[in-house]
Amino acid sequence: MLVVMEKTATRKQIERVVAVVERNGFTARPIPGGDRVSIGVLNNEGPVDAALFIGLPGVKDAVPITKPYKLVSRETKADDTLIQVGETTIGNGHLTIIAGPCAIESQDQALTIAKHVKKAGAHLFRGGAFKPRTSPYSFQGLGEEGLKILSMVRDQTGLPVVTEVMDERTFDLVEHYADIVQIGTRNMQNFSLLKRAGESYRPIMLKRGMAATIEEWLMAAEYIMARGNHQVVLCERGVRTFVHHSRNTLDLSAIPVVKKESHLPIVVDPSHAAGRRDQVLPLSRAAAAAKAHGLMVEVHHQPDQALSDGAQSLYPEQFEILCRQVMAIFKVCSGEEPF
Amino acid sequence: MLVVMEKTATRKQIERVVAVVERNGFTARPIPGGDRVSIGVLNNEGPVDAALFIGLPGVKDAVPITKPYKLVSRETKADDTLIQVGETTIGNGHLTIIAGPCAIESQDQALTIAKHVKKAGAHLFRGGAFKPRTSPYSFQGLGEEGLKILSMVRDQTGLPVVTEVMDERTFDLVEHYADIVQIGTRNMQNFSLLKRAGESYRPIMLKRGMAATIEEWLMAAEYIMARGNHQVVLCERGVRTFVHHSRNTLDLSAIPVVKKESHLPIVVDPSHAAGRRDQVLPLSRAAAAAKAHGLMVEVHHQPDQALSDGAQSLYPEQFEILCRQVMAIFKVCSGEEPF
Amino acid sequence: MLVVMEKTATRKQIERVVAVVERNGFTARPIPGGDRVSIGVLNNEGPVDAALFIGLPGVKDAVPITKPYKLVSRETKADDTLIQVGETTIGNGHLTIIAGPCAIESQDQALTIAKHVKKAGAHLFRGGAFKPRTSPYSFQGLGEEGLKILSMVRDQTGLPVVTEVMDERTFDLVEHYADIVQIGTRNMQNFSLLKRAGESYRPIMLKRGMAATIEEWLMAAEYIMARGNHQVVLCERGVRTFVHHSRNTLDLSAIPVVKKESHLPIVVDPSHAAGRRDQVLPLSRAAAAAKAHGLMVEVHHQPDQALSDGAQSLYPEQFEILCRQVMAIFKVCSGEEPF
Amino acid sequence: MLVVMEKTATRKQIERVVAVVERNGFTARPIPGGDRVSIGVLNNEGPVDAALFIGLPGVKDAVPITKPYKLVSRETKADDTLIQVGETTIGNGHLTIIAGPCAIESQDQALTIAKHVKKAGAHLFRGGAFKPRTSPYSFQGLGEEGLKILSMVRDQTGLPVVTEVMDERTFDLVEHYADIVQIGTRNMQNFSLLKRAGESYRPIMLKRGMAATIEEWLMAAEYIMARGNHQVVLCERGVRTFVHHSRNTLDLSAIPVVKKESHLPIVVDPSHAAGRRDQVLPLSRAAAAAKAHGLMVEVHHQPDQALSDGAQSLYPEQFEILCRQVMAIFKVCSGEEPF
């Protein structure tokens, strides 16, 4: 934190800021500049609240300098975190592909799709049993029955499964059936849920909030890690902007930034970013080219009969092409990395 | 829903769309235009999923025409909903003022502030016992102890109290102590929590998600109402934009739009929109001038020692001026209303 | 500018940053912190380009600390700038009301509306002769004929006139007829036009770009002032956000921020922010309550026959109510100002 | 345009809407629905202004159905537009690479960089002679001298050159020296400049405005085409969002959407999207993977001494790797295209 004083700030005002810094247990280092004084706040353990200074007489601004996260930071842990799920590893230099329907609708539907995506090259199966829906009148998921179907799919195909948890109440249940427990974009700052996830024995896939900064997203991961669960996969899924030709705007800059700031792996969900089938393939290729650690893609064999988000689901034959292309692209990018 | 066909769409493609409409139990009404056909989808009870049509051959676009909400809609219930809390009514044509600290820190702090705000004219007291904080290392609230302090404040001042609930687990507890249960911006689409709120015997104050459209916000209220609790107050608190001179951008257009679309009352939280003390008074006056049903303002007698969000808390003497000004403004606006 | 080094930065890397600072004529002041070094960049005249440092080995971030503007800054000139136009002054503590149609369509139309708005209390008349339209097929304005009509309106009503200039080519012409020359939101960073405006003998009304930060907006004003024209009025007209229930989102926090950062007056255009008639009155009252120096409102006596932006134009009788209410509100706010 | 009536709309209100439609020369087609009437507006040549209907009694909403653009539309011209520049063609199925410094600084600088980028595989050279800078105190470009240097670079390397024009006044000059004339993001809706570009004999590269929808962007291209110049290249360069870890957020969904809506080629500028060198390579690869028709990349041999935007300029050796990778990726994507 750097506290920037007004040009006209008096010595007394500067001393008051120093006093506030010290009362909070930090070290104050005044820096006389050409025409104004700034005061560095040093030796803070956690984040410093700008609120302590903004509004004090003579204070023009309080600028945060260092990042508030610790456990998620690459400055704390230099090596990439690897997430082992069944025989698959996320984060170890290959491209992990997660695919399946938006919602589990029936044994038949799930198994049909799972076989397709496995054949095409997917490493994990996804499918929602508890569905967060904008409308209370929309299909809310099969619940535990959906979880059992996922379990059956894993048994029959060998694919580990990823599924979303929506609350603490059903966490034990989801954790029991899932290989990776997903926390959705609308719950990224559901701190009670994050704390429970921090006590889970399962890896957590933490989707980025639809208007979350990377700092807020990493702080949400920090909640999980602070409770002891260090197995966190981040998932970029597009952010809300003024743009309306896609459901969200996929923020691919997040990939290099997260990789620099954190040791946690980052996968991309192009389906929810796009919201429309015809954007999913180009965005998937783009995410692979930006070197995400993985992709999570929605696939349905009968999308116009899907109970949820059919418009963005790929047909199995489209998904096959996707797999071939993203694998080839990822290979091209895995050579020289000059930065 | 209007399904817009490509200019080059064939009769067979149009027939397929009609078939999909009818298979879903709706009525299809093709509308031949100058150079393309559109197909109206009629007689739908709930929202129609654009996914059913986007991606079908020959379909250019699927445009939602009617709103997906029912119970919250003014078309369903023309009269304003009034929320009775103690001796105060929200929504009945006067300006309700809710004030207090961001977080309850101690008996002394809470009571000191409560007495100040009551004297200045506040009708309800606010204060957080469970605090959603971006960092796991920040003060998380006093929990049940905070709720007990709130209860004591009510007993001593007569002010009903508003406080936030963060999860289903502590809902019974919060509901027991609070007069109005608040659901925060980060939980606006925590659907499990909304369902629980729908079974509460308390009025719910539902803050707008920081990137929520009004439609999504009203659908969140619809979740609560669909479970039987019709006592919902909406709270606009600013949305996330590219702007960074305030913490959020207060969206005052939301007031006339919500009043037109819905019968539910809408209050404004200028403190969280601003994030800085010196913007709170102008934004409060602006919200009163836009004819919000109420204001929720953070006040602290020692903001530079507050454990949470001190930078946006008003001093008691500032809050007194605020009350005088917003009351006078509200009165000015309560005369002629030409629209 | 504060250059923040990585925790692992070497002495050599720090020395290189210092060398770059000094090669650019600035002063470097290294600040050893608890676990990393930061380097203050002092004695810079203009803005320091972060580009100089970002990307150098060992550099984590380069954080701008001071503002790049000079002439517009209140730190340069403490007193409010007053703009004198005819017998009206903008910025001197009363609320200036500017009103008129979006586009000048005919003598009759302009004069009819001008008489209405004058009677209701407007101080200036607005109307476009050169119209920036999204579509090349929409009405582009009457051009010079429109300017002559404006001149006639001034002669007959005594109201000074505000009208937009779209390019350097027609600047002399517009300057000849207008009392205040407006630069529109789409041209806020048309730097050639700003430079020409800087040589004008007329006051300039500079609308905020639809995605401009306040810093960029003030820098656009700085372009005008740097060429010698110090008569600049800023006009907030809403910014583009994810919100679509209004055409733009009116950013009322801009008012206190601009007033703090700059000595230039700021007016608000609620009509373009709203884009719909029924939001104009509440937003106008809100802008007055936030203590803008003025309002610019679109009025048309036959809005459903207007050639441009009829949907947001008030009927004359609505505008009368608006004037009464905003004047009363502004008066209420002009008493005590505690911040 | 579909005019949606209130459920309670009277027959008289519906008739009035029909009358307004017909008075404007369109055809009205009322569509009785389950519980409300909508009225289709047909046979419109250009865009229909929602303003005609919004605000009329009984009207709930007016929803645009068809797009307002004509000449840019793929519905008007099905075949891809190819832009021939020297021996290079943009839009014909290969990836065009445009590279060079942000600003032309000297003969030496320009020629050194041009030789580097040519060797690495660039097809065109870019460099600014007239520079739009946020601050009036920043380097504004060499002007005509810069154009002469560009001309010399073309003579010596054979690379056609792209450079920005900032106003009508210097258009003749820029047009004389440039092979492609660029209109920058801040001038995307400088309609006077667009009209002049429409009369140019040079291809125009039209950058997307930083908060422009694709519709607005295509309408800006429509301005150019409507004046007779059909040689337009669109350039996506990131949009402004709440995100601040990159200068802008690159919107790669724009590629498939533009390709579907329009026949004009689209290139991507990852340098201005990123604003930081370490994001340029991943974003370039992503743009190639999304099948942009070309890339425009900033390269400088001494970025820490660049007079403009050095932080985002690649070193020549980084650019070589970029060329190899994007070419390989583009080839991978050029096989099967299932959508």
Side-chain angles (χ1 to χ4, degrees), chain C residues 124-157:
Chain C
L124 291 97
F125 184 68
R126 64 145 289 153
F130 296 98
K131 295 299 307 169
R133 300 302 300 274
T134 304
S135 165
Y137 310 121
S138 298
F139 174 58
Q140 307 274 315
L142 294 181
E144 187 169 3
E145 191 196 332
L147 295 175
K148 286 179 179 163
I149 294 173
L150 283 168
S151 184
M152 178 275 295
V153 166
R154 178 181 42 223
D155 291 347
Q156 301 221 1
T157 63

mmCIF file of all heavy atoms in Angstrom, chain C residues 124-157:
data_model
loop_
_atom_site.group_PDB
_atom_site.id
_atom_site.type_symbol
_atom_site.label_atom_id
_atom_site.label_comp_id
_atom_site.label_asym_id
_atom_site.label_seq_id
_atom_site.Cartn_x
_atom_site.Cartn_y
_atom_site.Cartn_z
ATOM 1 N N LEU C 124 -30.247 27.804 -21.804
ATOM 2 C CA LEU C 124 -29.643 27.693 -23.137
ATOM 3 C C LEU C 124 -30.492 26.749 -23.983
ATOM 4 O O LEU C 124 -31.199 25.887 -23.449
ATOM 5 C CB LEU C 124 -28.207 27.151 -23.070
ATOM 6 C CG LEU C 124 -27.132 28.044 -22.447
ATOM 7 C CD1 LEU C 124 -26.903 27.672 -20.999
ATOM 8 C CD2 LEU C 124 -25.833 27.958 -23.238
ATOM 9 N N PHE C 125 -30.334 26.916 -25.300
ATOM 10 C CA PHE C 125 -31.054 26.070 -26.239
ATOM 11 C C PHE C 125 -30.057 25.128 -26.919
ATOM 12 O O PHE C 125 -28.954 25.527 -27.262
ATOM 13 C CB PHE C 125 -31.739 26.947 -27.301
ATOM 14 C CG PHE C 125 -32.591 26.183 -28.284
ATOM 15 C CD1 PHE C 125 -33.765 25.554 -27.875
ATOM 16 C CD2 PHE C 125 -32.229 26.095 -29.634
ATOM 17 C CE1 PHE C 125 -34.562 24.859 -28.789
ATOM 18 C CE2 PHE C 125 -33.017 25.399 -30.542
ATOM 19 C CZ PHE C 125 -34.186 24.783 -30.117
ATOM 20 N N ARG C 126 -30.437 23.877 -27.072
ATOM 21 C CA ARG C 126 -29.575 22.925 -27.772
ATOM 22 C C ARG C 126 -30.300 22.386 -29.007
ATOM 23 O O ARG C 126 -31.536 22.352 -29.051
ATOM 24 C CB ARG C 126 -29.195 21.766 -26.873
ATOM 25 C CG ARG C 126 -30.374 20.902 -26.435
ATOM 26 C CD ARG C 126 -29.977 19.437 -26.325
ATOM 27 N NE ARG C 126 -29.761 18.891 -27.644
ATOM 28 C CZ ARG C 126 -28.969 17.875 -27.934
ATOM 29 N NH1 ARG C 126 -28.321 17.276 -26.987
ATOM 30 N NH2 ARG C 126 -28.838 17.441 -29.175
ATOM 31 N N GLY C 127 -29.532 21.931 -29.982
ATOM 32 C CA GLY C 127 -30.122 21.351 -31.174
ATOM 33 C C GLY C 127 -29.007 21.025 -32.150
ATOM 34 O O GLY C 127 -28.068 21.801 -32.334
ATOM 35 N N GLY C 128 -29.083 19.862 -32.768
ATOM 36 C CA GLY C 128 -28.002 19.420 -33.646
ATOM 37 C C GLY C 128 -28.239 19.832 -35.089
ATOM 38 O O GLY C 128 -29.333 19.630 -35.622
ATOM 39 N N ALA C 129 -27.213 20.384 -35.714
ATOM 40 C CA ALA C 129 -27.272 20.686 -37.146
ATOM 41 C C ALA C 129 -26.462 19.633 -37.915
ATOM 42 O O ALA C 129 -26.823 19.247 -39.020
ATOM 43 C CB ALA C 129 -26.704 22.074 -37.402
ATOM 44 N N PHE C 130 -25.376 19.208 -37.321
ATOM 45 C CA PHE C 130 -24.597 18.081 -37.853
ATOM 46 C C PHE C 130 -24.774 16.924 -36.882
ATOM 47 O O PHE C 130 -24.407 17.030 -35.717
ATOM 48 C CB PHE C 130 -23.120 18.460 -37.976
ATOM 49 C CG PHE C 130 -22.859 19.567 -38.969
ATOM 50 C CD1 PHE C 130 -22.714 20.880 -38.544
ATOM 51 C CD2 PHE C 130 -22.772 19.293 -40.324
ATOM 52 C CE1 PHE C 130 -22.482 21.907 -39.448
ATOM 53 C CE2 PHE C 130 -22.536 20.319 -41.248
ATOM 54 C CZ PHE C 130 -22.393 21.620 -40.808
ATOM 55 N N LYS C 131 -25.349 15.822 -37.352
ATOM 56 C CA LYS C 131 -25.727 14.736 -36.449
ATOM 57 C C LYS C 131 -24.870 13.493 -36.671
ATOM 58 O O LYS C 131 -24.853 12.945 -37.775
ATOM 59 C CB LYS C 131 -27.189 14.324 -36.701
ATOM 60 C CG LYS C 131 -28.220 15.396 -36.375
ATOM 61 C CD LYS C 131 -28.216 15.807 -34.916
ATOM 62 C CE LYS C 131 -28.344 14.632 -33.966
ATOM 63 N NZ LYS C 131 -28.059 15.078 -32.564
ATOM 64 N N PRO C 132 -24.201 13.016 -35.649
ATOM 65 C CA PRO C 132 -23.496 11.735 -35.751
ATOM 66 C C PRO C 132 -24.497 10.601 -35.606
ATOM 67 O O PRO C 132 -25.082 10.427 -34.543
ATOM 68 C CB PRO C 132 -22.533 11.776 -34.561
ATOM 69 C CG PRO C 132 -23.164 12.678 -33.563
ATOM 70 C CD PRO C 132 -24.051 13.628 -34.314
ATOM 71 N N ARG C 133 -24.750 9.858 -36.669
ATOM 72 C CA ARG C 133 -25.744 8.787 -36.629
ATOM 73 C C ARG C 133 -25.085 7.444 -36.889
ATOM 74 O O ARG C 133 -24.231 7.329 -37.774
ATOM 75 C CB ARG C 133 -26.830 9.031 -37.685
ATOM 76 C CG ARG C 133 -27.580 10.355 -37.497
ATOM 77 C CD ARG C 133 -28.248 10.488 -36.138
ATOM 78 N NE ARG C 133 -29.219 9.466 -35.893
ATOM 79 C CZ ARG C 133 -30.495 9.541 -36.291
ATOM 80 N NH1 ARG C 133 -30.931 10.616 -36.910
ATOM 81 N NH2 ARG C 133 -31.321 8.547 -36.044
ATOM 82 N N THR C 134 -25.488 6.445 -36.179
ATOM 83 C CA THR C 134 -24.906 5.107 -36.321
ATOM 84 C C THR C 134 -25.050 4.580 -37.749
ATOM 85 O O THR C 134 -24.175 3.875 -38.250
ATOM 86 C CB THR C 134 -25.598 4.147 -35.331
ATOM 87 O OG1 THR C 134 -25.457 4.701 -34.023
ATOM 88 C CG2 THR C 134 -24.979 2.776 -35.367
ATOM 89 N N SER C 135 -26.153 4.919 -38.381
ATOM 90 C CA SER C 135 -26.396 4.420 -39.733
ATOM 91 C C SER C 135 -26.203 5.526 -40.768
ATOM 92 O O SER C 135 -26.685 6.649 -40.581
ATOM 93 C CB SER C 135 -27.828 3.895 -39.841
ATOM 94 O OG SER C 135 -28.182 3.723 -41.197
ATOM 95 N N PRO C 136 -25.517 5.229 -41.881
ATOM 96 C CA PRO C 136 -25.353 6.244 -42.928
ATOM 97 C C PRO C 136 -26.676 6.565 -43.613
ATOM 98 O O PRO C 136 -26.752 7.549 -44.349
ATOM 99 C CB PRO C 136 -24.383 5.592 -43.912
ATOM 100 C CG PRO C 136 -24.521 4.124 -43.687
ATOM 101 C CD PRO C 136 -24.857 3.964 -42.235
ATOM 102 N N TYR C 137 -27.683 5.744 -43.364
ATOM 103 C CA TYR C 137 -28.962 5.948 -44.019
ATOM 104 C C TYR C 137 -29.925 6.765 -43.151
ATOM 105 O O TYR C 137 -31.051 7.025 -43.541
ATOM 106 C CB TYR C 137 -29.588 4.595 -44.376
ATOM 107 C CG TYR C 137 -28.605 3.702 -45.094
ATOM 108 C CD1 TYR C 137 -28.252 2.455 -44.580
ATOM 109 C CD2 TYR C 137 -27.995 4.120 -46.277
ATOM 110 C CE1 TYR C 137 -27.335 1.646 -45.226
ATOM 111 C CE2 TYR C 137 -27.062 3.318 -46.923
ATOM 112 C CZ TYR C 137 -26.731 2.089 -46.395
ATOM 113 O OH TYR C 137 -25.812 1.303 -47.030
ATOM 114 N N SER C 138 -29.510 7.121 -41.932
ATOM 115 C CA SER C 138 -30.357 7.935 -41.064
ATOM 116 C C SER C 138 -30.135 9.419 -41.366
ATOM 117 O O SER C 138 -29.109 9.807 -41.922
ATOM 118 C CB SER C 138 -30.029 7.655 -39.588
ATOM 119 O OG SER C 138 -30.288 6.312 -39.260
ATOM 120 N N PHE C 139 -31.084 10.218 -40.952
ATOM 121 C CA PHE C 139 -31.034 11.677 -41.125
ATOM 122 C C PHE C 139 -29.735 12.235 -40.525
ATOM 123 O O PHE C 139 -29.434 11.983 -39.356
ATOM 124 C CB PHE C 139 -32.254 12.268 -40.411
ATOM 125 C CG PHE C 139 -32.291 13.771 -40.367
ATOM 126 C CD1 PHE C 139 -32.277 14.524 -41.541
ATOM 127 C CD2 PHE C 139 -32.364 14.439 -39.145
ATOM 128 C CE1 PHE C 139 -32.318 15.922 -41.481
ATOM 129 C CE2 PHE C 139 -32.415 15.822 -39.086
ATOM 130 C CZ PHE C 139 -32.388 16.566 -40.259
ATOM 131 N N GLN C 140 -28.980 12.983 -41.324
ATOM 132 C CA GLN C 140 -27.648 13.435 -40.893
ATOM 133 C C GLN C 140 -27.638 14.903 -40.445
ATOM 134 O O GLN C 140 -26.570 15.462 -40.196
ATOM 135 C CB GLN C 140 -26.648 13.237 -42.046
ATOM 136 C CG GLN C 140 -26.619 11.826 -42.639
ATOM 137 C CD GLN C 140 -25.697 10.868 -41.907
ATOM 138 O OE1 GLN C 140 -24.572 11.212 -41.578
ATOM 139 N NE2 GLN C 140 -26.170 9.663 -41.610
ATOM 140 N N GLY C 141 -28.802 15.488 -40.337
ATOM 141 C CA GLY C 141 -28.860 16.884 -39.892
ATOM 142 C C GLY C 141 -28.965 17.836 -41.077
ATOM 143 O O GLY C 141 -28.641 17.482 -42.203
ATOM 144 N N LEU C 142 -29.416 19.089 -40.761
ATOM 145 C CA LEU C 142 -29.630 20.076 -41.831
ATOM 146 C C LEU C 142 -28.354 20.807 -42.214
ATOM 147 O O LEU C 142 -28.352 21.588 -43.169
ATOM 148 C CB LEU C 142 -30.674 21.107 -41.385
ATOM 149 C CG LEU C 142 -32.113 20.607 -41.173
ATOM 150 C CD1 LEU C 142 -32.994 21.787 -40.761
ATOM 151 C CD2 LEU C 142 -32.648 19.966 -42.448
ATOM 152 N N GLY C 143 -27.272 20.599 -41.472
ATOM 153 C CA GLY C 143 -26.025 21.289 -41.796
ATOM 154 C C GLY C 143 -26.149 22.787 -41.566
ATOM 155 O O GLY C 143 -26.789 23.229 -40.601
ATOM 156 N N GLU C 144 -25.558 23.566 -42.468
ATOM 157 C CA GLU C 144 -25.517 25.026 -42.263
ATOM 158 C C GLU C 144 -26.918 25.606 -42.087
ATOM 159 O O GLU C 144 -27.109 26.523 -41.296
ATOM 160 C CB GLU C 144 -24.788 25.720 -43.418
ATOM 161 C CG GLU C 144 -24.607 27.214 -43.122
ATOM 162 C CD GLU C 144 -23.664 27.920 -44.086
ATOM 163 O OE1 GLU C 144 -23.177 27.271 -45.037
ATOM 164 O OE2 GLU C 144 -23.424 29.128 -43.873
ATOM 165 N N GLU C 145 -27.883 25.051 -42.802
ATOM 166 C CA GLU C 145 -29.246 25.556 -42.635
ATOM 167 C C GLU C 145 -29.689 25.425 -41.172
ATOM 168 O O GLU C 145 -30.331 26.323 -40.612
ATOM 169 C CB GLU C 145 -30.202 24.766 -43.541
ATOM 170 C CG GLU C 145 -31.599 25.396 -43.641
ATOM 171 C CD GLU C 145 -32.622 24.395 -44.217
ATOM 172 O OE1 GLU C 145 -32.205 23.493 -44.996
ATOM 173 O OE2 GLU C 145 -33.807 24.500 -43.865
ATOM 174 N N GLY C 146 -29.302 24.319 -40.547
ATOM 175 C CA GLY C 146 -29.620 24.124 -39.138
ATOM 176 C C GLY C 146 -28.948 25.173 -38.267
ATOM 177 O O GLY C 146 -29.552 25.686 -37.300
ATOM 178 N N LEU C 147 -27.717 25.509 -38.594
ATOM 179 C CA LEU C 147 -27.000 26.531 -37.818
ATOM 180 C C LEU C 147 -27.712 27.888 -37.930
ATOM 181 O O LEU C 147 -27.816 28.625 -36.938
ATOM 182 C CB LEU C 147 -25.562 26.657 -38.326
ATOM 183 C CG LEU C 147 -24.675 25.410 -38.137
ATOM 184 C CD1 LEU C 147 -23.318 25.642 -38.795
ATOM 185 C CD2 LEU C 147 -24.489 25.094 -36.656
ATOM 186 N N LYS C 148 -28.189 28.172 -39.140
ATOM 187 C CA LYS C 148 -28.885 29.461 -39.322
ATOM 188 C C LYS C 148 -30.185 29.500 -38.514
ATOM 189 O O LYS C 148 -30.550 30.539 -37.953
ATOM 190 C CB LYS C 148 -29.177 29.690 -40.808
ATOM 191 C CG LYS C 148 -27.899 30.054 -41.574
ATOM 192 C CD LYS C 148 -28.151 30.266 -43.053
ATOM 193 C CE LYS C 148 -26.850 30.649 -43.755
ATOM 194 N NZ LYS C 148 -26.944 30.469 -45.229
ATOM 195 N N ILE C 149 -30.843 28.372 -38.459
ATOM 196 C CA ILE C 149 -32.059 28.311 -37.639
ATOM 197 C C ILE C 149 -31.719 28.555 -36.171
ATOM 198 O O ILE C 149 -32.416 29.300 -35.470
ATOM 199 C CB ILE C 149 -32.775 26.956 -37.838
ATOM 200 C CG1 ILE C 149 -33.300 26.852 -39.282
ATOM 201 C CG2 ILE C 149 -33.911 26.784 -36.830
ATOM 202 C CD1 ILE C 149 -33.886 25.506 -39.653
ATOM 203 N N LEU C 150 -30.623 27.949 -35.712
ATOM 204 C CA LEU C 150 -30.201 28.168 -34.324
ATOM 205 C C LEU C 150 -29.964 29.651 -34.061
ATOM 206 O O LEU C 150 -30.339 30.189 -33.010
ATOM 207 C CB LEU C 150 -28.909 27.387 -34.031
ATOM 208 C CG LEU C 150 -29.090 25.894 -33.806
ATOM 209 C CD1 LEU C 150 -27.744 25.184 -33.820
ATOM 210 C CD2 LEU C 150 -29.791 25.646 -32.469
ATOM 211 N N SER C 151 -29.339 30.298 -35.020
ATOM 212 C CA SER C 151 -29.037 31.718 -34.883
ATOM 213 C C SER C 151 -30.338 32.521 -34.786
ATOM 214 O O SER C 151 -30.467 33.436 -33.952
ATOM 215 C CB SER C 151 -28.220 32.127 -36.105
ATOM 216 O OG SER C 151 -27.830 33.453 -35.994
ATOM 217 N N MET C 152 -31.272 32.151 -35.613
ATOM 218 C CA MET C 152 -32.586 32.804 -35.585
ATOM 219 C C MET C 152 -33.275 32.572 -34.236
ATOM 220 O O MET C 152 -33.871 33.482 -33.659
ATOM 221 C CB MET C 152 -33.417 32.228 -36.745
ATOM 222 C CG MET C 152 -34.833 32.733 -36.877
ATOM 223 S SD MET C 152 -36.001 31.820 -35.811
ATOM 224 C CE MET C 152 -35.924 30.188 -36.554
ATOM 225 N N VAL C 153 -33.162 31.353 -33.717
ATOM 226 C CA VAL C 153 -33.747 31.055 -32.406
ATOM 227 C C VAL C 153 -33.139 31.952 -31.334
ATOM 228 O O VAL C 153 -33.845 32.513 -30.483
ATOM 229 C CB VAL C 153 -33.549 29.567 -32.032
ATOM 230 C CG1 VAL C 153 -33.831 29.336 -30.556
ATOM 231 C CG2 VAL C 153 -34.424 28.674 -32.899
ATOM 232 N N ARG C 154 -31.829 32.102 -31.371
ATOM 233 C CA ARG C 154 -31.179 32.975 -30.390
ATOM 234 C C ARG C 154 -31.697 34.397 -30.509
ATOM 235 O O ARG C 154 -32.003 35.049 -29.515
ATOM 236 C CB ARG C 154 -29.669 32.941 -30.579
ATOM 237 C CG ARG C 154 -28.931 33.884 -29.605
ATOM 238 C CD ARG C 154 -27.429 33.846 -29.840
ATOM 239 N NE ARG C 154 -27.172 33.848 -31.268
ATOM 240 C CZ ARG C 154 -26.288 33.088 -31.881
ATOM 241 N NH1 ARG C 154 -25.517 32.275 -31.197
ATOM 242 N NH2 ARG C 154 -26.125 33.156 -33.187
ATOM 243 N N ASP C 155 -31.795 34.860 -31.742
ATOM 244 C CA ASP C 155 -32.278 36.228 -31.946
ATOM 245 C C ASP C 155 -33.693 36.412 -31.382
ATOM 246 O O ASP C 155 -33.995 37.421 -30.759
ATOM 247 C CB ASP C 155 -32.290 36.566 -33.447
ATOM 248 C CG ASP C 155 -30.878 36.668 -34.004
ATOM 249 O OD1 ASP C 155 -29.919 36.733 -33.200
ATOM 250 O OD2 ASP C 155 -30.718 36.652 -35.235
ATOM 251 N N GLN C 156 -34.522 35.419 -31.607
ATOM 252 C CA GLN C 156 -35.918 35.593 -31.220
ATOM 253 C C GLN C 156 -36.186 35.307 -29.748
ATOM 254 O O GLN C 156 -37.165 35.811 -29.186
ATOM 255 C CB GLN C 156 -36.814 34.692 -32.081
ATOM 256 C CG GLN C 156 -36.682 34.998 -33.570
ATOM 257 C CD GLN C 156 -38.025 34.977 -34.282
ATOM 258 O OE1 GLN C 156 -39.066 34.757 -33.646
ATOM 259 N NE2 GLN C 156 -38.022 35.216 -35.567
ATOM 260 N N THR C 157 -35.356 34.479 -29.129
ATOM 261 C CA THR C 157 -35.645 34.097 -27.743
ATOM 262 C C THR C 157 -34.627 34.647 -26.752
ATOM 263 O O THR C 157 -34.885 34.641 -25.551
ATOM 264 C CB THR C 157 -35.636 32.565 -27.579
ATOM 265 O OG1 THR C 157 -34.319 32.087 -27.882
ATOM 266 C CG2 THR C 157 -36.644 31.894 -28.497
#
